[in-house]
Structures are given as C-alpha cells and as structure tokens.
Amino acid sequence: MKTTIVGRLILQERMKKNISQNDLCYGVCNRTTLSRIENGEIIPSYALACVLFTRLGKSIPKNLIPLRENERNIYNVDFRLGQLCDNRDERREEWLKEYKKYINEKDFLNRQRYLLYLGITKKKIIETFEESLVIHEKALKLTQPDFSLNNKEMPKGLLSATELSLLRCIAHTEYYIYDSNRIDFERKNSALKRIFFLKEYFENHIENYKSNSVYSSVNFCLSSWLGLDGKYTDALEIAKGYVINNPDSLYFLSHELYDMGYLQACLEQKIEARKTLNDSFVLVNMYDEFNEVEYYVKRTDEIFHFDPPLDSKTFL
C-alpha cells in the first residue's frame, strides 16, 4: 500500500508542477527507477525519497517511508548532527565518526549528507576554511556533476534540501575567507550572488519556505552582509521581514534581532535599537552555552555608546 502511495504522491506533484522525470531525477537516479517508483513497483530509499520530495518543493510525508535498520541509524545520527550545526559543540566529531560507520561509497546521497556535516565541522571546530570549501564542492558534485567553485555558476534545475544547504555553506565560507589576512572581494561577490540565488529559489520553489531553517540562514546572511556593506535600510527591511514571519525559531530569531538592533543603531534609531537588542540578548541567554551575552553587550556598547550603557547583568 505504501509503495503505491509514495509513487502516486511523487507523480501527482510532478505532473501538477509540469516537471519532467529527467529534471526531477537528475544526478540522483535514472529515469527507469523513477518510473518504477511512480508506478508503485518499488519504494525508494529514505534518502532518495527526501531528495525527490524536496526537489518538488515539499517536505517528505511523515511515516510514509519505512526505515530499514541502517537507515534508522543514519536518520538518528543525522538528526543529532543537525541539532549541533548551529553551535561550536565538539560532540560533532564523535557523531561524524558514528555516521561514517553506516555509509559506503555507493551510498552517495547519505555520503553527501556526511560531507555536508564534515565541511561544517572543519570550518567551525578546526577553522580550516579552504578545506571546508573543497569538501562541500566535492559533496555538491555528487548530484550536480557540472558544479564548480571556479566558474561561479549556480546549479541549474531542481535542488534538494542537502544541495541547498551545501550552497548556503559554500556562500558563507566564501564570504568570510581571507587570503593572508586580506579580504577576497571576488569570493565575497560570489557569495552574495549565491545567497541572492538561494533566496529567490526558496521563494519560487519551496512550499512553506518561511519556516525553513536554511532559508532563515540565507536571510540572516543577506541582512548581515548588506549591513556590512553600508546598505543599512535594505538590510533592516530583510531583518524585519524575518522577525515578523519567524517568531518561533529562537536561534535564528535571536541573531536576526541582534542584527536588526545593530542596523537600527547604525541608522541612529537608538530607542528602537535598545529595545530590539534587549530582546535579542534575552533570547541568546535562554540557550547560550558559551556565555556570549556579556561579550555582545560590551561589544555593542563600545561601538554605539548607548546612554545609559547596556548592562549585561540584566540578561544573566
């Protein structure tokens, strides 16, 4: 029964959006396999089902794909790593070793996920930015063989959740990478191009994109980078839009609120900035494991000279 339902849902959504089989399965399976899935002859692996549904702009329906034991192990480790991605938790390295045990070279979709997390760990824990870029390029080429960091072109066609995450990570690394302590403006421009591409892709192809964590990260990058470029008004509009549409994502909300308050202060909106920054520090203090509130309060006060000064004791 589930075999028929999975294939029917994929077929219906593909036909509704006028997507060809070749476009949907590009880089992940051959057209014959997709036909057999749509005809109810086989059930796709969980990894393949995730790719097909997210390329169609939808989340994979819960409990629809039966997980084999190895898939369940991978799912559990992937979930753990996903939770650790937003901070510097060194347990990531332990879970990466666990992840690697469950995949092989032929399992390229789960290997792509593994490389996604490996590249993030290289950047956040070990701080090897160049190596992180190489790993993420390698991961993206598993399903987008024509992709290259050198030609600066965006992938063509439909993208899965993992492919979108890899592009976001590549853009973030390109923006902040330094060559002998000098800013690489070519890479910064490439990063901005990728972020604008991702924002447009989410808004045109992904259902319920406003609640998607990668879309949230894309908006945060965009508002931050436009702000760093002195485009405070444009950056503030993006930050405000995120805050209004995503009140429940505490991690990104706290960062976007800080960004919003910082931009308000840049525009001399000191009263609004103080309130927004206060809200941000309160949220950061709710989940912060690294006691960063005091640092950010001090740093912000040194830049903008609030009167009276911001007080970290209010939030601790």
Side-chain angles (χ1 to χ4, degrees):
M1 184 65 175
K2 285 187 176 180
T3 312
T4 308
I5 294 173
V6 173
R8 188 192 307 144
L9 286 173
I10 292 171
L11 175 62
Q12 287 176 348
E13 196 63 28
R14 184 175 67 78
M15 297 299 287
K16 184 173 81 172
K17 295 184 176 178
N18 197 27
I19 295 170
S20 73
Q21 286 185 322
N22 285 334
D23 286 342
L24 180 57
C25 69
Y26 174 76
V28 296
C29 69
N30 58 46
R31 194 166 65 85
T32 301
T33 299
L34 180 56
S35 292
R36 294 185 66 198
I37 292 169
E38 292 183 341
N39 292 332
E41 297 175 29
I42 57 173
I43 297 179
S45 67
Y46 183 78
L48 179 55
C50 284
V51 170
L52 296 176
F53 275 105
T54 56
R55 281 188 172 186
L56 290 167
K58 301 183 74 68
S59 300
I60 186 168
K62 291 183 178 180
N63 303 318
L64 194 60
I65 308 294
L67 293 175
R68 304 172 183 87
E69 182 179 356
N70 195 60
E71 288 180 319
R72 190 177 296 109
N73 290 332
I74 291 173
Y75 177 87
N76 290 335
V77 175
D78 191 285
F79 179 76
R80 293 275 189 175
L81 283 166
Q83 287 184 311
L84 299 177
C85 262
D86 294 332
N87 56 49
R88 300 188 297 266
D89 198 314
E90 295 184 7
R91 287 174 295 174
R92 258 193 299 224
E93 293 180 90
E94 298 173 20
W95 286 109
L96 276 170
K97 291 177 183 177
E98 188 77 9
Y99 205 137
K100 197 172 183 180
K101 290 194 316 188
Y102 299 123
I103 58 176
N104 56 56
E105 287 297 323
K106 292 182 179 180
D107 185 9
F108 68 95
L109 292 178
N110 282 316
R111 179 166 177 75
Q112 188 178 60
R113 295 286 298 174
Y114 167 78
L115 290 173
L116 166 65
Y117 293 125
L118 178 63
I120 292 171
T121 301
K122 291 289 185 182
K123 185 173 72 172
K124 286 201 172 185
I125 302 294
I126 309 172
E127 298 188 351
T128 51
F129 280 39
E130 290 284 1
E131 189 175 356
S132 173
L133 274 178
V134 170
I135 290 169
H136 283 154
E137 179 185 33
K138 179 181 177 181
L140 196 52
K141 286 175 77 71
L142 289 173
T143 53
Q144 298 286 334
D146 294 331
F147 177 79
S148 170
L149 290 172
N150 294 327
N151 63 24
K152 311 300 180 187
E153 291 298 317
M154 300 302 112
K156 295 177 174 61
L158 303 171
L159 298 170
S160 69
T162 305
E163 292 166 326
L164 291 167
S165 294
L166 284 165
L167 269 179
R168 201 283 307 175
C169 288
I170 287 170
H172 190 272
T173 306
E174 284 181 322
Y175 190 87
Y176 289 106
I177 203 165
Y178 288 79
D179 181 13
S180 300
N181 295 318
R182 296 176 62 186
I183 298 174
D184 189 331
F185 288 102
E186 183 179 351
R187 276 175 161 167
K188 285 185 72 172
N189 290 334
S190 174
L192 276 166
K193 183 179 177 182
R194 295 192 204 283
I195 285 295
F196 275 112
F197 166 81
L198 285 168
K199 181 176 173 62
E200 183 178 352
Y201 185 93
F202 270 100
E203 292 171 357
N204 290 329
H205 296 283
I206 306 297
E207 295 181 12
N208 303 317
Y209 64 86
K210 290 180 180 178
S211 60
N212 186 288
S213 62
V214 178
Y215 179 75
S216 300
S217 178
V218 165
N219 269 289
F220 178 68
C221 288
L222 192 54
S223 62
S224 297
W225 298 351
L226 288 175
L228 289 171
D229 202 28
K231 299 174 182 177
Y232 303 133
T233 302
D234 292 341
L236 183 57
E237 285 305 306
I238 292 171
K240 281 182 177 178
Y242 176 81
V243 170
I244 291 169
N245 292 314
N246 298 270
D248 299 323
S249 179
L250 294 186
Y251 177 81
F252 282 111
L253 181 60
S254 64
H255 284 70
E256 201 66 78
L257 279 169
Y258 179 81
D259 208 31
M260 183 174 156
Y262 190 98
L263 292 165
Q264 287 170 329
C266 288
L267 291 167
E268 297 297 327
Q269 302 172 9
K270 290 291 186 72
I271 296 175
E272 296 90 338
R274 176 184 286 276
K275 182 180 183 308
T276 307
L277 289 167
N278 283 354
D279 291 342
S280 169
F281 296 142
V282 169
L283 285 179
V284 170
N285 194 51
M286 289 173 63
Y287 66 80
D288 179 29
E289 297 179 20
F290 301 99
N291 303 314
E292 291 181 334
V293 172
E294 190 167 359
Y295 164 77
Y296 278 109
V297 169
K298 182 179 178 181
R299 174 177 174 267
T300 308
D301 221 21
E302 286 174 350
I303 295 172
F304 296 110
H305 307 292
F306 282 92
D307 185 21
L310 298 171
D311 183 4
S312 63
K313 294 186 176 67
T314 305
F315 316 105
L316 302 176

